[in-house]
Amino acid sequence: MEASTTGTNNSVVDPNDLLVIDDVKKHFPITRGIIFQKQIGSVKAVDGVSFSVKKGETLGIVGESGCGKSTLARCIIKLLETTGGQINFDGRDITKLSRSTMRPIRREMTMIFQDPYASLNPRKRVGAIVGEPLEVHNLGSASEIKTRVQELLEVVGLNPEHYNRFPHEFSGGQRQRIGVARALAVNPKLIVCDEPVSALDVSVQAQILNLLKDLQDDFGLTYIFIAHDLNVVRHISDRVLVMYLGKVVEIATRDVLYKEPKHPYTGALLSAVPIANPELGRKREPIVLEGDVPSPVNPPSACNFHPRCPRFVEGHCDVEEPPLYSFGNGHVAACHYALERWPMDASEIRRASASRAPEPEPEQPLPA
Amino acid sequence: MALLEVKDLRTSFHTEDGIVGAVDGVSFSVEKGQTLGIVGESGSGKSVTCLTIMGLNAKRNTTSSGEAIWKGKNLLTTKPRELREIRGNDISMIFQDPMTSLNPVHTIGKQLIEAVQLHRDVSNRVARARSLELLKAVGIPYAERRIDDYPHQFSGGMRQRVMIAMALINDPDLLIADEPTTALDVTTQAQILTLMKRLQEEFGSAIIIITHDLGVVAETADDVLVMYGARVVEHASVEELFNRPQHPYTWGLIGSLPRLDIDVERLIQIPGQPPSLLRPPRGCRFHPRCSYVMEVCKTTVPELLPTQREPDHLQACHLDEETKDREAAKLLESMMAEAG
Amino acid sequence: MFRYLIRRILWAILLFIIITFVTFVIFFMGPNDPARAQCGGDQARPACLKLVTEHYGLNKPLYVQYWRFFDRLVVHQNLGYSYANGSSVNQTIAKAAPVTASLVFGGAVIWMMIALSLGVYSALRPRSLLDRTAMVFVLIGISAHPVWIGLIFEYVFGVKLGWTPIANYANFFGAPAGSGLPGGPWQWFYHMILPWFTFALLFAALYVRMVRANVMETLNEDFVRTARAKGAPERRILVSHVLRNALLPVVTMLGMDIGVALGGAVFTETVYQLPGLGQNLVVGIQANDFATVQGVVVFATVAILLFNLIVDVLYAWIDPRIRLA
Amino acid sequence: MHRRLWLSVAMLVAGASLLVAASFASAGTASHALKQGGIWKYGTTGASVQVDPQIAYITTAWWLEYSTAAKLYNYPDKPGPAGSTLHPEVASKFTVSKNGKTYTFTIRKGFKFSNGKPVTPASFKYAIDRVANKGLASPGAQFITDPNGTNIVGAAKVNSGAAQHVSGVSVKGQKLTVHLTKPDGTFMAKITMPFFQATSTALPLSQEVVTVHSANDLPSAGPYTYTRNDVNQLTSVRRNKFYKTGPGRHRPHNLQGLDVFWNQNEATLYNQVAANQVDEDPVPSPDKVQGLANQYKVNKSRFWAKSQNCTGYLPLNMSNSLFKGNLPLRQAVNYAIERAPYVGQAGPYAGDTWTHLFNPGVPGWRNVSLYKRNLATAKKLAKGHLKNGKITVYFRSSGTVNPAQAQIVRSDLQAIGFQSGNINMKGFSGGNIYTAMGVKGNDADMGVSMGWCSDFPDPYDWINVLLYGPSIQADNNVNYSYMNIAKWNKKMASAAKLVGPKRYKVYGQMDLDLMKQVAPLAATRTYNNRYFFSNRINPKSLVYQGIYQDFSIGAMALK
């Protein structure tokens, strides 16, 4: 436990870090009782997550549904109050900021949502939707806002003349472009993208991914990119964080993570992704995990992946919670029996080497 | 003889805005024990094709033509009564969203037993035994206990297993799976795809798998049908398709996919949006988005023709084969190069 | 489930206290003088008012009166005596409740019959002639006031055609001996036909729309497609898969509407002169007869809460997602 | 109900003018021509009334009581003056002691209650005990415990709860003796109120009888008796089987009985009478009246209109700043009110316009019209007397007639110079306006759609009750004008002591003088009852009894 809670304290913040998340928790209480609702438990949606994001980089967060990645995103931009931990944005602790003091900071971190159909108000015109954050933050007169909105529409590849149209007049991909334009409107430093392409068709998905990359290059944006699709995350991210049941299981740079995953869960995820190459795809035998993701209300003891883990070692994994072991270069993974190499097939992965992984990271800032 | 032979299938919906040609002249055949993948984006007509074969389109405001020959019978002209006997018995289907595809107010046991008894005159006990057998076969733990549970008590993956059990319960000759894993997580998807493969070996059914995910197709299908704008643009064996794709749309699809096995800095993007089927483009429906567009593409519909080298590889593009081979090779090479 | 029930009951009690107290306060806020009713109304003389006021304790503070009412109700199950005519409110309600129950439940049967048949049929044949006709019916049912409908029915079927009685109630279990009034099940039915239809029309109209929408929506559900793909015949699909799911929200609505329906019953009872709760309420309000008003409110509240409880249980029974949650 | 409420029952023929007919009452009109039997169905929009003889009070309750009660002396079932003379009924005669404080009645034998038990002097003593009983809270108690009026010895003690039996009433053989604390000329009229009818000792002393299921539940000794009372549903009276013709027992009883259906819907009730399913609708809606009158004529067959002893008026509050000491403005209001449309709101045959307090039912009334509408005069009078120009008007918001009348008054007020924004109209539903106006110090300057009916046909009940200053108390006032002028108080007090024709002459003049010199109110109208009957009833049997201002039930007959 101690390693995973080892976080950054403010004094050693790397000036290159735009966002530092330290041991953030979000527990949703479960109450019971007839009149006096007493809390009998909690859904540990996010349970002690620490990481940092450097200026101008893209951090991918990947995990299956229910792993807490969307909750984490909402905690970061303070749509949800955290239960514990600290969020440092651009050198400021924003964890406890009130609504009003948070307001100027909201300009600097925006969000793109998954469902381009649901996240745009169908009764508002595109101009109003994109211009809304500008109005909220009082950035300019009506005509200035209009000019800015048209500029933004052009930036995201829409016809600025479509300023007066309604969202339903656009296709899914175009709507997501509107969402991107809205997020860009206030010149944010950080954009949290929550599954921005999962509702889109493949060809359109590529357009949006390319657009996001272009915008990052042009405006020096920092992204937190949340997705369940490992292909997409790999394509867009510089570093990738894998979550399972509210906890970080592995963080590494993109190339390292995909080439040398250390955590068996990461390995299982990678091997489960179908590859659009019949020769390659059929040759390998995927590591098929048994059963379903357990409930976050009552997560398994110690390493919460242990009931499904192909390398589960009884009496260890279910007793001692693995800290985030370091594998050098900021690569950390929470496993006592990290994968020795990759790829492995299903039978190989079961043979965990008895040797312990390296010692836990000493107290120091998380992956640089 | 092919198990199912579809010839020139056309389906259109009459809406308030006009006629939507959802399927426009689709032909293919499915062999016994084989898996056919149908790939395309939403609105390409891949699902409607299968619903038409099954006679599951809404009757109102829908017209269909063409043939779907199943054991000598044209399913499109079969009486509803006979078609009902085929559905769920000879041909069964599983759907995209396991969360909504089961009736929430009945136990899964009841729904499985119903599936049996619709086609077999057997007692409840026998039907229940059969249901249990299938639940075990699809890997539902504690099947004896869970058979009396309601759908909401199962996870998504488990529900899809139940759907598969229900589809296989009468030993169908053909299983149509419409995006069976789209709504599932990647590890669950792997479970389901593995399960389907295993069951195909056990039950010997032919499968039509409809998906937008090239990865799923690459891993499961023997033959692949690529659909675009209600038409088939390419039809080939899975190796042919991935090694020598012959249609610019297929190139776009392959190129636009972020992949685990190869690295690209920038995805190849297909510009524009999928066509409206209410007012589809003239000529080749892909021409407004195609970077190889020629004058002929704008006026003449390209026929689905075999390539010279491989008669089983059908494609519908006006480009000459040499160019296509060259462009395909270039695409794969560029991707490999970046990967390297 | 048990826990859920307990919680519902506790809520019901709280709600009950609030409702009765609010009724109390509202009634005493106005310049009402319940004593006036017993002293000849407009011309009440001071001496009489004083006498009656003291007799009923109307000069006591509000909370004392409320406490007296509450104590009497809970300890003695006694709703007190009418300020206007001294009759036992318990008896008044015991007589009125069966009348209102006859109207509401009979009406509910009719409205559900109309709503189900018309609703399902129009859902299966959208835009057909019947569907369009049904929508016209809905429009009339929703826009017409029950009093107006009642008077039209009375005039057409009672006065002009003479098929039905114009108004009044006939006791199901026979009229009081020697009263010469109509009674017995047939007379009861005969007298209730017009009120039932008048009462049912509005709700039938609302429910036709709801049933139609629900059935159409359910027909588009994935599990209906699954059932078709299994090879189930349409009739079976409708009965086993569509109706039960489509009727779930209808059951909830039914629970919520019972209160509204009791309100609607006031109009029907007034126009057909049915001596039910609604009419007693109206008369009680007009006569400043707080005891009767409060009695009806208490009884109606309990009835509504009880009915909602039954509907909740019923709903849980129909919908496993609630039962097993 | 409200119309019904207005129907008051006159019961007092004041003081010395009380003439007790010495002769035997003539038998009821020979009724051979009239059909015997049948049930008369009467529907009303009103709520149930009480049936307990000691609780029932005025309006429909007393109309029914007059058919079921046997009293010491009674009014015959006859129209006009013949109907307002007292005749011996259960008592064959009475004597008054010299000091005027002791009345002794001789009780006849032969009267029987509907449960077969005989009527005895104790039956009347029991009635008085019940009226005085504290627990029963009879509205009749005020009439026998009045220190300034009728006061039976011991009644106040019983009424305070200190005793069970009124000590001043004693029974000896067939004699009933009543002792008063002081002489009282109105005693005979008061003892004729239905409160004091022969009452069966089977009734509980201190508990009201409400539910009746048979003739034994509420025995009475008159020609009819209650056989059923379902509150707010149905009240039935049927012939008293034990009422046999004999000395004192001459009252007609043509019908087998009468059923009253309460709480009927106005329109439905009309339909039912039109379809002859119900026989009597005493409240046809104003918009139906003209049609009925045209079709059936008035007082001939199925439509009848009969006057009530009531006057409608607008009280002008003389204790609030606007009208206080402001005679010109009070007169101006009298000149400004447009009475014809005001009365017209209630429909045809609802009554006539009226300009002073005494209507033709009040002894001493004069057929004079005082304030003919004259806007010019009104404006001239009002000019400079509008004070701050603000006026608060209480009106009755229920129904259609009352608000329409309020609108008329409002525009009349505007006509004499009140600005529309300065007229504050406050609505009250039902009879609540009386409660509000009855509170001393209320903010009303005037009230609309108000009025007064005689409880007994004596001018005292108008002038002294409505305008006598010293009677003003904290609340429950009926002096809605809050008039309190010493000179006039003195005049009223002395007029009250007068007897005979002079009394009426003085009061008649005082009515006109008050209206001219003080104008504490603006009289507006008189009232009629209107009735719609089925074709089953015999119009010849309709006898309008002036005392309780409705048709005698005993005289009624079907065709």
Side-chain angles (χ1 to χ4, degrees), chain B residues 17-31:
Chain B
D17 299 325
I19 297 173
V20 174
V23 179
D24 191 12
V26 168
S27 305
F28 61 86
S29 61
V30 185
E31 307 291 332

Side-chain angles (χ1 to χ4, degrees), chain A residues 213 235 254, chain B residues 255 257 262-267 334-335 338:
Chain A
K213 277 208 154 191
H235 175 76
R254 188 253 316 253
Chain B
L257 201 67
I262 41 180
D263 243 337
V264 287
E265 183 47 39
R266 210 178 145 70
L267 298 169
S334 75
M335 291 168 68
E338 293 221 27

Side-chain angles (χ1 to χ4, degrees), chain A residues 5 50 220:
Chain A
T5 54
S50 304

Side-chain angles (χ1 to χ4, degrees), chain C residues 31-33 36-53 55-56 81 83-88 91-92 95-96 99 147 151 154-155 158-159 164-168 176-181 269-273 275-276 279-280 283-289 292, chain D residues 2 5-8 45 47-50 55 57-58 134-139 141-142 159 208 210-211 213 228-234 238 259 261-265 267-269 271-272 275 277-278 396 428 430-432 434-436 452-456 461 465 473 475-478 480:
Chain C
N32 300 295
D33 189 354
R36 188 168 280 278
Q38 277 210 339
C39 291
D42 294 357
Q43 296 186 75
R45 312 243 163 188
C48 178
L49 289 175
K50 184 162 171 277
L51 198 74
V52 177
T53 300
H55 180 63
Y56 286 103
Y81 299 90
Y83 292 169
N85 50 46
S87 60
S88 151
Q91 275 188 30
T92 304
K95 275 185 201 151
V99 179
V147 168
L151 289 173
E154 276 176 15
Y155 187 73
V159 179
T164 57
I166 293 173
N168 293 358
S179 67
L181 295 173
E269 284 178 8
T270 311
V271 77
Y272 288 104
Q273 302 172 175
Q279 204 183 42
N280 275 288
V283 172
I285 290 171
Q286 284 174 352
N288 284 342
D289 180 0
T292 304
Chain D
H2 298 298
L5 272 174
W6 276 101
L7 196 166
S8 84
T45 57
S48 241
V49 296
Q50 285 96 332
I55 299 291
Y57 186 33
I58 70 163
K134 184 179 189 238
L136 192 63
S138 163
Q142 56 183 313
N159 198 230
E208 182 186 350
V210 175
T211 308
H213 286 134
R228 185 149 205 96
N229 187 44
D230 290 336
V231 170
N232 282 337
Q233 295 183 20
L234 168 70
R238 293 289 181 272
D259 283 344
F261 299 92
W262 306 105
N263 298 327
Q264 306 291 282
N265 175 266
T268 308
L269 178 58
N271 278 339
Q272 285 178 302
Q277 292 183 8
V278 169
R396 305 175 71 168
F428 294 85
N432 295 337
Y434 292 98
T435 307
W452 188 252
C453 298
S454 286
D455 272 4
F456 45 93
D461 196 30
V465 165
Q473 48 189 26
D475 52 11
N476 291 329
N477 287 303
V478 291
Y480 301 115

Side-chain angles (χ1 to χ4, degrees), chain D residues 343-404:
Chain D
V343 182
Q345 291 305 321
Y349 304 99
D352 298 312
T353 59
W354 208 249
T355 57
H356 54 105
L357 210 45
F358 287 8
N359 66 64
V362 183
W365 74 283
R366 309 235 180 122
N367 194 2
V368 173
S369 179
L370 294 177
Y371 294 100
K372 254 206 162 81
R373 188 166 197 261
N374 188 337
L375 215 48
T377 312
K379 276 184 191 161
K380 211 157 70 191
L381 281 165
K383 200 168 177 203
H385 291 97
L386 296 179
K387 299 276 173 84
N388 64 1
K390 290 195 162 103
I391 183 165
T392 300
V393 180
Y394 284 11
F395 74 102
R396 305 175 71 168
S397 53
S398 22
T400 52
V401 175
N402 293 327

Side-chain angles (χ1 to χ4, degrees), chain C residues 213-226:
Chain C
N214 284 340
V215 169
M216 283 176 87
E217 200 181 302
T218 313
L219 278 170
N220 283 326
E221 289 281 356
D222 287 350
F223 60 79
V224 171
R225 193 178 53 185
T226 305

